[in-house]
Amino acid sequence: MKIESWIDKEAKIADFIQKYITELYLSAITILGLYIRFLLKDHVSGDIITFLRPWLQTLTENGGLAALKLEIGDYNPPYLTILALMSYIPMYDVFLIKIPSVLFDLFIAASTSFFVWKHFGDKAKAVFLYTILILNPLVIINSAYWGQCDVIYTSFLVLCILFCMREKYFAAFLLYGISFAFKQQAIFVLPVLVVLYLQKKQISLLHFLLIPFMEFILCLPAIIAGRPIGNIISIYFSQTGKYKYMTLKYYNIWYYFPGNYDEFSQAAIVFALAVIGTGAYWVLKKKIILEGHRLFYFTIWVIYSCCMFLPEMHERYGYALEILLVIYAVLYRKRIGICVMVCMITLAAYRNYFMGNPPFSEELLSAVNLACYLKLSYDGLKYLFKNEIPIHYGVKGK
């Protein structure tokens, strides 16, 4: 009788596990992902020592939110507002710096996966995407080990593109405004929004006013604290040209000319604009409607072009590119090889930053990265212009 009772209880437990297997799996992956990040919590990077810790210390010593009136660092006020809020928590400062980024690791994984589940109706792919984003070494290292905040602006940038796919342009531009308020690198996606404006009658110039509007809203705590608006506006301008290097450990074509910033920088900017402008011209000329996979692909190509040809690219500036490549590979089962190669190249750049010695020669890594870019560009010619598009869930072009 006792054995039968025990077997009956085990059967109920097994039934419960089978019924909620997805929820239990996601919970387990989340716990494991957080534990991995917990194990890396004590590392103090050079950026934390040089920049983030002094910023947080200044905010703490000058009243938290009240200290936003001060000119602290070269990041826009929305991120400093997060640090100011964290300054009220009595905790080790390195943890306070890393916690917001780790929380956004969860946010970007959950929000994008939920979107995939609801929009594409594929729960399995949504779960797979969540797993990859939670356990992605680039995501983990950037946030939990390095203490960087690239995941914050990228979260809203990715959601902007996803909402554009659904033609929810008001929400998309709001999200883009939030992204741009956190990091200047969000400007890489602006050409995509301009092309969409020229194609879509649902988009007005008024949508673009949402970008400075969200910038103003997110900077309100600093403005209320007493920071001049002109000072806030000038932050992104002051960042341009601050690091006079053609590239800062991002393996693009300018790695072959690392010491000639004054000679090559302006030409590099013009060249990058010419490349992106040419791509935009052909999309408009051939009447390639940016929707579904085409929108995703063109966005990836534009960001990749910025990283490949613009000067002053840090190793972290391809973060949004890498996240979008992961999502694209999961959704459409295309460009998986390029996704893996680009992520591995960035890992090599991260290793170079932390250890000072990349696993291969930097010239070789730059050449491989350029080869990946050219391959992705060539594939774009086929998929965008020749109408040879991947089939997604039986619906051509979606």
Side-chain angles (χ1 to χ4, degrees), residues 46-250:
D47 285 340
I48 289 179
I49 294 173
T50 306
F51 304 108
L52 300 173
R53 174 179 274 168
W55 298 353
L56 180 59
Q57 183 177 358
T58 302
L59 290 166
T60 303
E61 293 174 351
N62 291 275
L65 290 173
L68 291 174
K69 65 183 178 182
L70 304 175
E71 295 183 27
I72 302 172
D74 60 353
Y75 273 30
N76 217 24
Y79 178 68
L80 294 175
T81 301
I82 292 178
L83 287 184
L85 292 172
M86 298 301 294
S87 70
Y88 293 104
I89 303 174
M91 187 183 293
Y92 181 41
D93 57 359
V94 174
F95 300 167
L96 295 177
I97 291 168
K98 293 182 177 182
I99 284 174
S101 296
V102 169
L103 292 178
F104 269 91
D105 286 353
L106 296 177
F107 175 75
I108 193 172
S111 59
T112 55
S113 301
F114 181 79
F115 184 95
V116 168
W117 176 29
K118 289 297 184 181
H119 182 64
F120 293 97
D122 195 320
K123 192 173 183 179
K125 284 189 178 293
V127 172
F128 187 48
L129 177 60
Y130 182 85
T131 302
I132 292 179
L133 291 177
I134 285 293
L135 300 181
N136 191 313
L138 290 176
V139 177
I140 294 172
I141 292 172
N142 189 284
S143 299
Y145 189 72
W146 204 337
Q148 294 291 348
C149 61
D150 297 285
V151 68
I152 298 178
Y153 91 90
T154 300
S155 297
F156 298 108
L157 199 64
V158 170
L159 287 175
C160 166
I161 300 303
L162 293 175
F163 271 87
C164 283
M165 290 177 67
R166 296 193 63 184
E167 297 186 335
K168 305 292 185 180
Y169 296 116
F170 183 85
F173 275 81
L174 280 178
L175 290 163
Y176 180 78
I178 296 173
S179 177
F180 185 75
F182 274 101
K183 209 70 181 289
Q184 186 182 27
Q185 283 69 52
I187 201 172
F188 293 169
V189 174
L190 186 60
V192 179
L193 299 180
V194 172
V195 173
L196 283 174
Y197 162 71
L198 296 173
Q199 287 188 340
K200 303 285 186 177
K201 294 181 180 179
Q202 304 98 308
I203 301 178
S204 164
L205 285 175
L206 295 177
H207 283 88
F208 287 89
L209 295 179
L210 293 172
I211 301 172
F213 173 75
M214 291 309 301
E215 166 87 5
F216 174 77
I217 294 297
L218 292 177
C219 290
L220 263 181
I223 295 172
I224 294 173
R227 191 162 183 175
I229 296 180
N231 177 264
I232 294 173
I233 295 174
S234 67
I235 289 176
Y236 283 163
F237 293 101
S238 65
Q239 290 177 0
T240 304
K242 181 177 181 179
Y243 302 98
K244 294 186 179 298
Y245 297 93
M246 289 303 293
T247 178
L248 292 98
K249 294 185 173 65
Y250 187 88

Side-chain angles (χ1 to χ4, degrees), residues 279-307:
Y281 165 76
W282 282 109
V283 167
L284 294 170
K285 176 69 175 179
K286 297 293 184 179
K287 294 181 171 58
I288 307 298
I289 303 302
L290 294 183
E291 57 188 17
H293 90 282
R294 291 187 179 94
L295 173 59
F296 234 90
Y297 206 99
F298 185 68
T299 303
I300 289 171
W301 179 81
V302 169
I303 298 176
Y304 208 169
S305 298
C306 290
C307 293

